[in-house]
Short mmCIF file of all heavy atoms in Angstrom, two decimals:
data_model
loop_
_atom_site.label_atom_id
_atom_site.label_comp_id
_atom_site.label_asym_id
_atom_site.label_seq_id
_atom_site.Cartn_x
_atom_site.Cartn_y
_atom_site.Cartn_z
N MET A 61 0.86 -1.20 -0.03
CA MET A 61 -0.01 0.00 0.00
C MET A 61 0.90 1.24 0.01
O MET A 61 1.80 1.36 0.82
CB MET A 61 -0.89 -0.03 1.26
CG MET A 61 -2.15 0.76 1.07
SD MET A 61 -3.14 0.71 2.59
CE MET A 61 -3.62 -0.99 2.67
N PRO A 62 0.68 2.13 -0.92
CA PRO A 62 1.57 3.32 -1.01
C PRO A 62 1.36 4.28 0.17
O PRO A 62 0.27 4.34 0.75
CB PRO A 62 1.19 3.98 -2.33
CG PRO A 62 -0.16 3.46 -2.67
CD PRO A 62 -0.33 2.13 -1.99
N ILE A 63 2.41 4.95 0.49
CA ILE A 63 2.39 5.95 1.56
C ILE A 63 2.54 7.35 0.92
O ILE A 63 3.47 7.53 0.15
CB ILE A 63 3.46 5.69 2.60
CG1 ILE A 63 3.22 4.38 3.28
CG2 ILE A 63 3.50 6.84 3.65
CD1 ILE A 63 4.35 3.94 4.19
N TYR A 64 1.65 8.23 1.26
CA TYR A 64 1.71 9.58 0.70
C TYR A 64 2.07 10.57 1.78
O TYR A 64 1.62 10.45 2.90
CB TYR A 64 0.34 9.98 0.13
CG TYR A 64 -0.13 9.06 -1.00
CD1 TYR A 64 -1.06 8.07 -0.74
CD2 TYR A 64 0.37 9.17 -2.28
CE1 TYR A 64 -1.51 7.23 -1.75
CE2 TYR A 64 -0.03 8.33 -3.30
CZ TYR A 64 -0.98 7.37 -3.04
OH TYR A 64 -1.39 6.52 -4.01
N ALA A 65 2.92 11.53 1.42
CA ALA A 65 3.26 12.61 2.33
C ALA A 65 2.18 13.70 2.21
O ALA A 65 1.97 14.22 1.13
CB ALA A 65 4.62 13.15 2.00
N TYR A 66 1.50 13.93 3.30
CA TYR A 66 0.44 14.96 3.29
C TYR A 66 0.92 16.14 4.15
O TYR A 66 1.70 16.01 5.08
CB TYR A 66 -0.82 14.38 3.89
CG TYR A 66 -1.75 13.73 2.92
CD1 TYR A 66 -1.49 12.46 2.43
CD2 TYR A 66 -2.90 14.38 2.47
CE1 TYR A 66 -2.33 11.87 1.54
CE2 TYR A 66 -3.76 13.79 1.58
CZ TYR A 66 -3.48 12.53 1.10
OH TYR A 66 -4.33 11.95 0.21
N LYS A 67 0.39 17.29 3.80
CA LYS A 67 0.65 18.48 4.60
C LYS A 67 -0.57 19.38 4.60
O LYS A 67 -1.25 19.50 3.61
CB LYS A 67 1.86 19.24 4.03
CG LYS A 67 2.27 20.41 4.93
CD LYS A 67 3.54 21.07 4.42
CE LYS A 67 3.96 22.18 5.34
NZ LYS A 67 5.17 22.87 4.86
N CYS A 68 -0.83 19.96 5.78
CA CYS A 68 -1.94 20.88 5.92
C CYS A 68 -1.42 22.29 5.71
O CYS A 68 -0.54 22.73 6.44
CB CYS A 68 -2.53 20.75 7.34
SG CYS A 68 -3.87 21.90 7.65
N SER A 69 -1.98 22.95 4.74
CA SER A 69 -1.51 24.30 4.45
C SER A 69 -2.06 25.33 5.43
O SER A 69 -1.65 26.48 5.44
CB SER A 69 -1.84 24.69 3.01
OG SER A 69 -3.25 24.65 2.79
N ALA A 70 -3.02 24.89 6.22
CA ALA A 70 -3.62 25.82 7.19
C ALA A 70 -2.71 25.95 8.44
O ALA A 70 -2.48 27.05 8.94
CB ALA A 70 -5.01 25.38 7.59
N CYS A 71 -2.27 24.81 8.96
CA CYS A 71 -1.49 24.88 10.23
C CYS A 71 -0.06 24.33 10.03
O CYS A 71 0.74 24.42 10.94
CB CYS A 71 -2.21 24.08 11.31
SG CYS A 71 -2.24 22.28 11.01
N GLY A 72 0.21 23.77 8.85
CA GLY A 72 1.56 23.29 8.58
C GLY A 72 1.82 21.89 9.06
O GLY A 72 2.92 21.37 8.93
N HIS A 73 0.81 21.21 9.62
CA HIS A 73 0.99 19.85 10.11
C HIS A 73 1.24 18.92 8.92
O HIS A 73 0.53 18.93 7.94
CB HIS A 73 -0.27 19.41 10.86
CG HIS A 73 -0.21 17.96 11.29
ND1 HIS A 73 0.55 17.54 12.32
CD2 HIS A 73 -0.84 16.87 10.78
CE1 HIS A 73 0.41 16.20 12.46
NE2 HIS A 73 -0.43 15.78 11.52
N ALA A 74 2.28 18.12 9.05
CA ALA A 74 2.64 17.16 8.00
C ALA A 74 2.66 15.75 8.56
O ALA A 74 3.08 15.51 9.69
CB ALA A 74 4.00 17.53 7.40
N GLU A 75 2.18 14.82 7.75
CA GLU A 75 2.10 13.45 8.20
C GLU A 75 2.12 12.51 6.99
O GLU A 75 1.65 12.89 5.91
CB GLU A 75 0.80 13.26 8.99
CG GLU A 75 0.76 12.00 9.84
CD GLU A 75 -0.46 12.04 10.77
OE1 GLU A 75 -0.66 13.05 11.44
OE2 GLU A 75 -1.18 11.07 10.77
N ASP A 76 2.67 11.30 7.15
CA ASP A 76 2.61 10.33 6.08
C ASP A 76 1.31 9.49 6.28
O ASP A 76 1.06 9.01 7.36
CB ASP A 76 3.81 9.41 6.14
CG ASP A 76 5.10 10.08 5.74
OD1 ASP A 76 5.00 11.12 5.05
OD2 ASP A 76 6.16 9.62 6.08
N GLU A 77 0.57 9.41 5.18
CA GLU A 77 -0.70 8.63 5.27
C GLU A 77 -0.60 7.41 4.34
O GLU A 77 -0.23 7.55 3.16
CB GLU A 77 -1.83 9.54 4.80
CG GLU A 77 -1.98 10.82 5.58
CD GLU A 77 -2.67 10.61 6.94
OE1 GLU A 77 -3.03 9.47 7.25
OE2 GLU A 77 -2.77 11.62 7.66
N MET A 78 -0.97 6.26 4.89
CA MET A 78 -0.98 5.06 4.07
C MET A 78 -2.38 4.90 3.50
O MET A 78 -3.38 4.90 4.19
CB MET A 78 -0.65 3.85 4.98
CG MET A 78 -0.27 2.63 4.16
SD MET A 78 0.00 1.17 5.19
CE MET A 78 1.25 1.75 6.29
N GLN A 79 -2.43 4.85 2.14
CA GLN A 79 -3.73 4.79 1.50
C GLN A 79 -3.67 3.82 0.34
O GLN A 79 -2.65 3.61 -0.30
CB GLN A 79 -4.08 6.15 0.91
CG GLN A 79 -4.46 7.20 1.91
CD GLN A 79 -5.09 8.37 1.21
OE1 GLN A 79 -4.44 9.12 0.50
NE2 GLN A 79 -6.38 8.49 1.32
N LYS A 80 -4.80 3.19 0.08
CA LYS A 80 -4.93 2.44 -1.16
C LYS A 80 -4.98 3.44 -2.33
O LYS A 80 -5.40 4.60 -2.15
CB LYS A 80 -6.26 1.64 -1.17
CG LYS A 80 -6.31 0.55 -0.13
CD LYS A 80 -7.67 -0.11 -0.15
CE LYS A 80 -7.84 -1.03 1.01
NZ LYS A 80 -9.25 -1.47 1.16
N VAL A 81 -4.56 2.94 -3.47
CA VAL A 81 -4.58 3.83 -4.65
C VAL A 81 -6.00 4.25 -4.94
O VAL A 81 -6.28 5.36 -5.44
CB VAL A 81 -3.94 3.10 -5.86
CG1 VAL A 81 -4.09 3.92 -7.11
CG2 VAL A 81 -2.49 2.75 -5.59
N SER A 82 -6.95 3.34 -4.62
CA SER A 82 -8.37 3.61 -4.95
C SER A 82 -9.00 4.53 -3.92
O SER A 82 -10.13 5.00 -4.13
CB SER A 82 -9.12 2.30 -5.02
OG SER A 82 -8.99 1.56 -3.80
N ASP A 83 -8.35 4.77 -2.81
CA ASP A 83 -8.92 5.66 -1.80
C ASP A 83 -8.97 7.10 -2.25
O ASP A 83 -8.07 7.57 -2.98
CB ASP A 83 -8.10 5.59 -0.50
CG ASP A 83 -8.41 4.37 0.33
OD1 ASP A 83 -9.38 3.65 -0.02
OD2 ASP A 83 -7.72 4.11 1.30
N ALA A 84 -10.00 7.80 -1.87
CA ALA A 84 -10.07 9.22 -2.17
C ALA A 84 -8.98 9.96 -1.36
O ALA A 84 -8.74 9.61 -0.23
CB ALA A 84 -11.43 9.76 -1.82
N PRO A 85 -8.41 10.98 -1.96
CA PRO A 85 -7.38 11.73 -1.23
C PRO A 85 -7.98 12.45 -0.02
O PRO A 85 -9.17 12.85 -0.03
CB PRO A 85 -6.87 12.78 -2.25
CG PRO A 85 -7.62 12.56 -3.54
CD PRO A 85 -8.61 11.41 -3.34
N LEU A 86 -7.18 12.52 1.01
CA LEU A 86 -7.65 13.22 2.22
C LEU A 86 -7.61 14.72 1.97
O LEU A 86 -6.79 15.23 1.23
CB LEU A 86 -6.71 12.88 3.38
CG LEU A 86 -6.62 11.40 3.74
CD1 LEU A 86 -5.55 11.18 4.80
CD2 LEU A 86 -7.93 10.84 4.16
N THR A 87 -8.55 15.39 2.60
CA THR A 87 -8.58 16.85 2.43
C THR A 87 -8.65 17.58 3.77
O THR A 87 -8.45 18.78 3.84
CB THR A 87 -9.84 17.24 1.62
OG1 THR A 87 -11.03 16.78 2.27
CG2 THR A 87 -9.82 16.68 0.21
N LYS A 88 -8.95 16.81 4.84
CA LYS A 88 -9.15 17.45 6.11
C LYS A 88 -7.95 17.28 7.03
O LYS A 88 -7.51 16.14 7.27
CB LYS A 88 -10.42 16.85 6.79
CG LYS A 88 -10.87 17.58 8.00
CD LYS A 88 -12.24 17.03 8.48
CE LYS A 88 -12.75 17.73 9.70
NZ LYS A 88 -14.06 17.18 10.11
N GLY A 89 -7.38 18.36 7.52
CA GLY A 89 -6.25 18.29 8.37
C GLY A 89 -6.57 17.56 9.67
O GLY A 89 -7.58 17.88 10.29
N PRO A 90 -5.76 16.57 10.08
CA PRO A 90 -6.03 15.81 11.29
C PRO A 90 -5.87 16.61 12.54
O PRO A 90 -6.40 16.24 13.58
CB PRO A 90 -5.04 14.63 11.23
CG PRO A 90 -3.91 15.13 10.39
CD PRO A 90 -4.53 16.13 9.40
N LYS A 91 -5.14 17.69 12.51
CA LYS A 91 -4.89 18.50 13.68
C LYS A 91 -5.94 19.60 13.86
O LYS A 91 -6.52 19.75 14.90
CB LYS A 91 -3.49 19.14 13.60
CG LYS A 91 -2.36 18.13 13.78
CD LYS A 91 -2.13 17.83 15.26
CE LYS A 91 -0.87 16.99 15.42
NZ LYS A 91 -0.63 16.59 16.81
N CYS A 92 -6.11 20.38 12.80
CA CYS A 92 -6.96 21.56 12.95
C CYS A 92 -8.31 21.37 12.27
O CYS A 92 -9.23 22.15 12.53
CB CYS A 92 -6.27 22.78 12.31
SG CYS A 92 -6.07 22.66 10.54
N GLY A 93 -8.47 20.33 11.44
CA GLY A 93 -9.77 20.05 10.82
C GLY A 93 -10.04 20.96 9.62
O GLY A 93 -11.13 20.87 9.06
N ALA A 94 -9.07 21.76 9.22
CA ALA A 94 -9.31 22.62 8.05
C ALA A 94 -9.28 21.79 6.76
O ALA A 94 -8.57 20.77 6.68
CB ALA A 94 -8.21 23.69 7.98
N GLU A 95 -10.03 22.20 5.80
CA GLU A 95 -10.05 21.51 4.51
C GLU A 95 -8.85 22.01 3.68
O GLU A 95 -9.02 22.63 2.65
CB GLU A 95 -11.37 21.80 3.77
CG GLU A 95 -12.57 21.19 4.48
CD GLU A 95 -12.68 19.67 4.28
OE1 GLU A 95 -12.19 19.19 3.27
OE2 GLU A 95 -13.21 19.02 5.18
N ALA A 96 -7.69 21.77 4.17
CA ALA A 96 -6.47 22.30 3.56
C ALA A 96 -5.37 21.24 3.56
O ALA A 96 -4.22 21.57 3.44
CB ALA A 96 -6.03 23.54 4.32
N TYR A 97 -5.78 19.96 3.63
CA TYR A 97 -4.83 18.86 3.71
C TYR A 97 -4.62 18.27 2.30
O TYR A 97 -5.61 18.03 1.62
CB TYR A 97 -5.44 17.82 4.61
CG TYR A 97 -4.46 16.89 5.31
CD1 TYR A 97 -3.29 17.37 5.86
CD2 TYR A 97 -4.77 15.54 5.44
CE1 TYR A 97 -2.42 16.53 6.53
CE2 TYR A 97 -3.92 14.69 6.14
CZ TYR A 97 -2.74 15.19 6.67
OH TYR A 97 -1.89 14.35 7.34
N GLY A 98 -3.39 18.16 1.88
CA GLY A 98 -3.18 17.64 0.55
C GLY A 98 -1.87 16.92 0.43
O GLY A 98 -0.95 17.07 1.26
N LYS A 99 -1.73 16.15 -0.67
CA LYS A 99 -0.52 15.38 -0.93
C LYS A 99 0.64 16.31 -1.28
O LYS A 99 0.47 17.35 -1.97
CB LYS A 99 -0.72 14.41 -2.10
CG LYS A 99 -1.60 13.25 -1.79
CD LYS A 99 -1.77 12.39 -3.01
CE LYS A 99 -2.84 11.30 -2.76
NZ LYS A 99 -3.09 10.53 -4.00
N GLN A 100 1.81 15.92 -0.77
CA GLN A 100 3.01 16.66 -1.10
C GLN A 100 3.86 15.86 -2.08
O GLN A 100 3.80 14.65 -2.08
CB GLN A 100 3.82 16.93 0.16
CG GLN A 100 3.11 17.70 1.21
CD GLN A 100 2.87 19.12 0.74
OE1 GLN A 100 3.80 19.87 0.55
NE2 GLN A 100 1.60 19.48 0.54
N LEU A 101 4.64 16.53 -2.85
CA LEU A 101 5.65 15.84 -3.66
C LEU A 101 6.75 15.34 -2.72
O LEU A 101 7.34 16.17 -2.02
CB LEU A 101 6.24 16.76 -4.70
CG LEU A 101 5.33 17.05 -5.92
CD1 LEU A 101 6.06 18.04 -6.83
CD2 LEU A 101 5.05 15.80 -6.69
N THR A 102 7.00 14.07 -2.76
CA THR A 102 8.11 13.53 -1.93
C THR A 102 9.44 13.80 -2.61
O THR A 102 9.47 14.07 -3.81
CB THR A 102 7.92 12.04 -1.66
OG1 THR A 102 8.02 11.38 -2.91
CG2 THR A 102 6.59 11.76 -1.02
N ALA A 103 10.51 13.60 -1.89
CA ALA A 103 11.84 13.75 -2.50
C ALA A 103 12.01 12.75 -3.61
O ALA A 103 12.58 13.05 -4.65
CB ALA A 103 12.90 13.56 -1.44
N ALA A 104 11.52 11.53 -3.39
CA ALA A 104 11.69 10.49 -4.40
C ALA A 104 10.90 10.83 -5.64
O ALA A 104 11.35 10.68 -6.78
CB ALA A 104 11.23 9.14 -3.87
N GLY A 105 9.68 11.30 -5.44
CA GLY A 105 8.84 11.69 -6.54
C GLY A 105 9.44 12.82 -7.34
O GLY A 105 9.39 12.85 -8.58
N PHE A 106 10.06 13.75 -6.64
CA PHE A 106 10.69 14.88 -7.31
C PHE A 106 11.84 14.39 -8.18
O PHE A 106 12.01 14.81 -9.30
CB PHE A 106 11.19 15.85 -6.25
CG PHE A 106 11.80 17.07 -6.85
CD1 PHE A 106 11.02 18.13 -7.31
CD2 PHE A 106 13.22 17.18 -6.97
CE1 PHE A 106 11.62 19.23 -7.88
CE2 PHE A 106 13.78 18.31 -7.53
CZ PHE A 106 12.98 19.36 -8.00
N ALA A 107 12.65 13.48 -7.64
CA ALA A 107 13.79 12.96 -8.39
C ALA A 107 13.35 12.23 -9.64
O ALA A 107 13.95 12.37 -10.70
CB ALA A 107 14.64 12.02 -7.52
N LEU A 108 12.25 11.47 -9.55
CA LEU A 108 11.77 10.70 -10.69
C LEU A 108 11.28 11.63 -11.80
O LEU A 108 11.24 11.25 -12.95
CB LEU A 108 10.64 9.74 -10.25
CG LEU A 108 11.14 8.57 -9.42
CD1 LEU A 108 9.98 7.78 -8.85
CD2 LEU A 108 11.98 7.62 -10.28
N LYS A 109 10.83 12.82 -11.39
CA LYS A 109 10.34 13.75 -12.40
C LYS A 109 11.45 14.41 -13.20
O LYS A 109 11.24 14.91 -14.26
CB LYS A 109 9.53 14.89 -11.70
CG LYS A 109 8.09 14.48 -11.41
CD LYS A 109 7.43 15.60 -10.62
CE LYS A 109 5.90 15.47 -10.62
NZ LYS A 109 5.31 15.80 -11.90
N GLY A 110 12.66 14.31 -12.67
CA GLY A 110 13.79 14.93 -13.35
C GLY A 110 14.27 14.11 -14.54
O GLY A 110 13.72 13.08 -14.83
N ASN A 111 15.39 14.53 -15.08
CA ASN A 111 15.92 13.81 -16.25
C ASN A 111 17.00 12.82 -15.85
O ASN A 111 17.67 12.27 -16.68
CB ASN A 111 16.48 14.83 -17.26
CG ASN A 111 17.55 15.71 -16.66
OD1 ASN A 111 18.07 15.43 -15.56
ND2 ASN A 111 17.89 16.80 -17.31
N GLY A 112 17.18 12.61 -14.56
CA GLY A 112 18.19 11.66 -14.09
C GLY A 112 19.43 12.34 -13.56
O GLY A 112 20.22 11.71 -12.89
N TYR A 113 19.62 13.54 -13.88
CA TYR A 113 20.84 14.25 -13.48
C TYR A 113 20.94 14.31 -11.96
O TYR A 113 21.99 13.99 -11.39
CB TYR A 113 20.84 15.64 -14.04
CG TYR A 113 21.98 16.50 -13.53
CD1 TYR A 113 23.27 16.35 -14.08
CD2 TYR A 113 21.80 17.41 -12.51
CE1 TYR A 113 24.33 17.11 -13.61
CE2 TYR A 113 22.86 18.16 -12.03
CZ TYR A 113 24.12 18.03 -12.57
OH TYR A 113 25.11 18.76 -12.09
N TYR A 114 19.86 14.64 -11.30
CA TYR A 114 19.88 14.80 -9.86
C TYR A 114 20.08 13.43 -9.19
O TYR A 114 20.75 13.32 -8.21
CB TYR A 114 18.59 15.45 -9.35
CG TYR A 114 18.46 16.86 -9.87
CD1 TYR A 114 17.54 17.13 -10.89
CD2 TYR A 114 19.21 17.88 -9.36
CE1 TYR A 114 17.42 18.41 -11.37
CE2 TYR A 114 19.10 19.21 -9.84
CZ TYR A 114 18.18 19.43 -10.85
OH TYR A 114 18.05 20.70 -11.33
N VAL A 115 19.44 12.38 -9.76
CA VAL A 115 19.56 11.08 -9.17
C VAL A 115 21.01 10.60 -9.25
O VAL A 115 21.55 10.11 -8.27
CB VAL A 115 18.65 10.09 -9.94
CG1 VAL A 115 18.88 8.65 -9.44
CG2 VAL A 115 17.19 10.47 -9.79
N THR A 116 21.65 10.82 -10.38
CA THR A 116 23.04 10.41 -10.53
C THR A 116 23.94 11.18 -9.62
O THR A 116 24.80 10.60 -8.94
CB THR A 116 23.49 10.65 -12.00
OG1 THR A 116 22.60 9.95 -12.90
CG2 THR A 116 24.88 10.15 -12.25
N ASP A 117 23.71 12.46 -9.54
CA ASP A 117 24.51 13.30 -8.68
C ASP A 117 24.39 12.90 -7.21
O ASP A 117 25.35 12.83 -6.48
CB ASP A 117 24.07 14.75 -8.84
CG ASP A 117 25.08 15.73 -8.23
OD1 ASP A 117 26.27 15.57 -8.54
OD2 ASP A 117 24.64 16.62 -7.46
N PHE A 118 23.18 12.53 -6.82
CA PHE A 118 22.90 12.10 -5.48
C PHE A 118 23.61 10.78 -5.16
O PHE A 118 24.23 10.64 -4.11
CB PHE A 118 21.40 11.97 -5.27
CG PHE A 118 20.99 11.55 -3.90
CD1 PHE A 118 21.02 12.45 -2.85
CD2 PHE A 118 20.56 10.24 -3.64
CE1 PHE A 118 20.62 12.07 -1.57
CE2 PHE A 118 20.18 9.88 -2.37
CZ PHE A 118 20.21 10.77 -1.35
N LYS A 119 23.60 9.88 -6.10
CA LYS A 119 24.16 8.55 -5.88
C LYS A 119 25.67 8.62 -5.75
O LYS A 119 26.26 7.77 -5.07
CB LYS A 119 23.78 7.62 -7.03
CG LYS A 119 22.38 6.99 -6.81
CD LYS A 119 22.15 5.92 -7.86
CE LYS A 119 20.83 5.24 -7.57
NZ LYS A 119 20.51 4.25 -8.61
N ASN A 120 26.28 9.55 -6.38
CA ASN A 120 27.75 9.62 -6.37
C ASN A 120 28.26 9.79 -4.91
O ASN A 120 29.36 9.36 -4.61
CB ASN A 120 28.25 10.77 -7.21
CG ASN A 120 28.22 10.39 -8.67
OD1 ASN A 120 28.18 9.22 -9.03
ND2 ASN A 120 28.25 11.39 -9.55
N GLY A 121 27.47 10.42 -4.11
CA GLY A 121 27.90 10.61 -2.74
C GLY A 121 27.34 9.56 -1.78
O GLY A 121 27.70 9.53 -0.63
N GLN A 122 26.46 8.72 -2.27
CA GLN A 122 25.76 7.81 -1.42
C GLN A 122 26.04 6.34 -1.69
O GLN A 122 26.06 5.49 -0.82
CB GLN A 122 24.23 8.02 -1.57
CG GLN A 122 23.74 9.33 -1.00
CD GLN A 122 23.47 9.20 0.47
OE1 GLN A 122 22.97 8.22 0.94
NE2 GLN A 122 23.76 10.26 1.22
N ALA A 123 26.32 6.00 -2.93
CA ALA A 123 26.41 4.59 -3.32
C ALA A 123 27.45 4.42 -4.40
O ALA A 123 28.14 5.39 -4.78
CB ALA A 123 25.06 4.10 -3.82
N LYS A 124 27.56 3.23 -4.90
CA LYS A 124 28.54 2.93 -5.93
C LYS A 124 28.27 3.71 -7.20
O LYS A 124 27.15 3.69 -7.68
CB LYS A 124 28.51 1.44 -6.24
CG LYS A 124 28.97 0.54 -5.08
CD LYS A 124 28.80 -0.93 -5.39
CE LYS A 124 27.36 -1.33 -5.37
NZ LYS A 124 27.15 -2.74 -5.48
N PRO A 125 29.28 4.37 -7.72
CA PRO A 125 29.10 5.14 -8.95
C PRO A 125 28.72 4.25 -10.11
O PRO A 125 28.12 4.68 -11.07
CB PRO A 125 30.47 5.77 -9.21
CG PRO A 125 31.19 5.69 -7.92
CD PRO A 125 30.63 4.50 -7.18
N GLU A 126 29.11 2.95 -10.06
CA GLU A 126 28.84 2.05 -11.16
C GLU A 126 27.46 1.42 -11.06
O GLU A 126 27.11 0.47 -11.76
CB GLU A 126 29.90 0.95 -11.28
CG GLU A 126 29.87 -0.03 -10.10
CD GLU A 126 30.79 0.40 -8.98
OE1 GLU A 126 31.06 1.62 -8.83
OE2 GLU A 126 31.30 -0.45 -8.27
N ALA A 127 26.61 1.90 -10.15
CA ALA A 127 25.27 1.39 -10.03
C ALA A 127 24.51 1.59 -11.36
O ALA A 127 24.74 2.56 -12.05
CB ALA A 127 24.52 2.13 -8.90
N PRO A 128 23.68 0.61 -11.71
CA PRO A 128 22.96 0.73 -12.98
C PRO A 128 22.06 1.95 -13.03
O PRO A 128 21.52 2.37 -11.98
CB PRO A 128 22.13 -0.54 -13.03
CG PRO A 128 22.08 -1.06 -11.62
CD PRO A 128 23.35 -0.61 -10.95
N SER A 129 21.90 2.53 -14.17
CA SER A 129 21.13 3.76 -14.31
C SER A 129 19.68 3.57 -13.92
O SER A 129 19.01 4.50 -13.56
CB SER A 129 21.27 4.31 -15.70
OG SER A 129 20.80 3.36 -16.62
N CYS A 130 19.22 2.33 -14.03
CA CYS A 130 17.79 2.09 -13.71
C CYS A 130 17.57 2.01 -12.22
O CYS A 130 16.47 2.05 -11.76
CB CYS A 130 17.28 0.84 -14.38
SG CYS A 130 17.99 -0.69 -13.71
N GLY A 131 18.63 1.86 -11.46
CA GLY A 131 18.54 1.90 -10.01
C GLY A 131 18.13 0.58 -9.39
O GLY A 131 17.88 0.53 -8.18
N ALA A 132 18.07 -0.49 -10.14
CA ALA A 132 17.65 -1.77 -9.60
C ALA A 132 18.73 -2.32 -8.69
O ALA A 132 19.91 -2.26 -9.01
CB ALA A 132 17.37 -2.75 -10.72
N ALA A 133 18.30 -2.90 -7.56
CA ALA A 133 19.25 -3.45 -6.62
C ALA A 133 19.76 -4.82 -7.17
O ALA A 133 19.00 -5.59 -7.70
CB ALA A 133 18.59 -3.66 -5.28
N GLY A 134 21.07 -5.05 -7.03
CA GLY A 134 21.63 -6.30 -7.43
C GLY A 134 21.84 -6.47 -8.90
O GLY A 134 21.98 -7.59 -9.38
N GLY A 135 21.79 -5.41 -9.64
CA GLY A 135 22.04 -5.51 -11.09
C GLY A 135 20.90 -4.96 -11.90
O GLY A 135 19.76 -4.84 -11.40
N CYS A 136 21.19 -4.63 -13.10
CA CYS A 136 20.21 -3.98 -13.97
C CYS A 136 19.49 -5.01 -14.84
O CYS A 136 20.09 -5.65 -15.71
CB CYS A 136 20.90 -2.95 -14.84
SG CYS A 136 19.78 -2.08 -15.97
N PRO A 137 18.19 -5.21 -14.59
CA PRO A 137 17.41 -6.17 -15.42
C PRO A 137 17.30 -5.71 -16.87
O PRO A 137 17.06 -6.53 -17.76
CB PRO A 137 16.09 -6.24 -14.75
CG PRO A 137 15.95 -4.98 -13.98
CD PRO A 137 17.35 -4.59 -13.56
N CYS A 138 17.50 -4.44 -17.07
CA CYS A 138 17.40 -3.90 -18.45
C CYS A 138 18.52 -4.45 -19.32
O CYS A 138 18.41 -4.47 -20.53
CB CYS A 138 17.51 -2.38 -18.42
SG CYS A 138 16.49 -1.59 -17.18
N ALA A 139 19.61 -4.89 -18.70
CA ALA A 139 20.79 -5.28 -19.49
C ALA A 139 20.89 -6.77 -19.68
O ALA A 139 21.79 -7.24 -20.35
CB ALA A 139 22.04 -4.76 -18.77
N THR A 140 20.01 -7.58 -19.09
CA THR A 140 20.15 -9.03 -19.14
C THR A 140 19.96 -9.54 -20.56
O THR A 140 20.50 -10.60 -20.89
CB THR A 140 19.12 -9.68 -18.22
OG1 THR A 140 17.83 -9.23 -18.56
CG2 THR A 140 19.42 -9.38 -16.77
N SER A 141 19.23 -8.86 -21.39
CA SER A 141 19.00 -9.32 -22.75
C SER A 141 20.04 -8.78 -23.71
O SER A 141 19.97 -9.03 -24.90
CB SER A 141 17.61 -8.94 -23.22
OG SER A 141 17.48 -7.53 -23.21
N ASN A 142 21.03 -8.08 -23.20
CA ASN A 142 22.05 -7.46 -24.07
C ASN A 142 23.08 -8.50 -24.46
O ASN A 142 24.00 -8.77 -23.73
CB ASN A 142 22.70 -6.30 -23.30
CG ASN A 142 23.58 -5.51 -24.24
OD1 ASN A 142 23.56 -5.70 -25.45
ND2 ASN A 142 24.38 -4.64 -23.66
ZN1 ZN B 99 -4.19 21.88 9.84
#
């Protein structure tokens, strides 16, 4: 079940909410009750929206530089048919 980062724009309360994909998005802040609660772009979501430059740059300081570009753990399945 995916976890969405939510934030209330009324009071600033932020929380991760576990929801089914089929569930309607939450709109009501759990703290203040304002109808100002909405999904946030997560860091991972932001990176996936890019062209890969940021992901590569991030990995250079965190993991092996020779990691496959697809990011799969234990090897790149994209390359098995090569
Ligand atoms: Zn709130």
Side-chain angles (χ1 to χ4, degrees):
M61 206 180 292
I63 297 174
Y64 300 101
Y66 270 77
K67 187 174 181 182
C68 176
S69 60
C71 68
H73 175 75
E75 196 169 310
D76 289 339
E77 303 283 357
M78 196 184 303
Q79 288 193 287
K80 294 176 190 168
V81 176
S82 57
D83 281 352
L86 302 175
T87 58
K88 191 173 181 179
K91 288 280 187 185
C92 67
E95 295 284 332
Y97 205 42
K99 288 179 189 175
Q100 301 293 294
L101 284 177
T102 65
F106 182 80
L108 288 171
K109 277 176 165 286
N111 58 14
Y113 173 80
Y114 295 106
V115 174
T116 303
D117 193 49
F118 181 75
K119 276 188 175 177
N120 282 341
Q122 290 275 324
K124 292 174 289 189
E126 67 269 27
S129 59
C130 69
C136 180
C138 313
T140 54
S141 60
N142 188 13

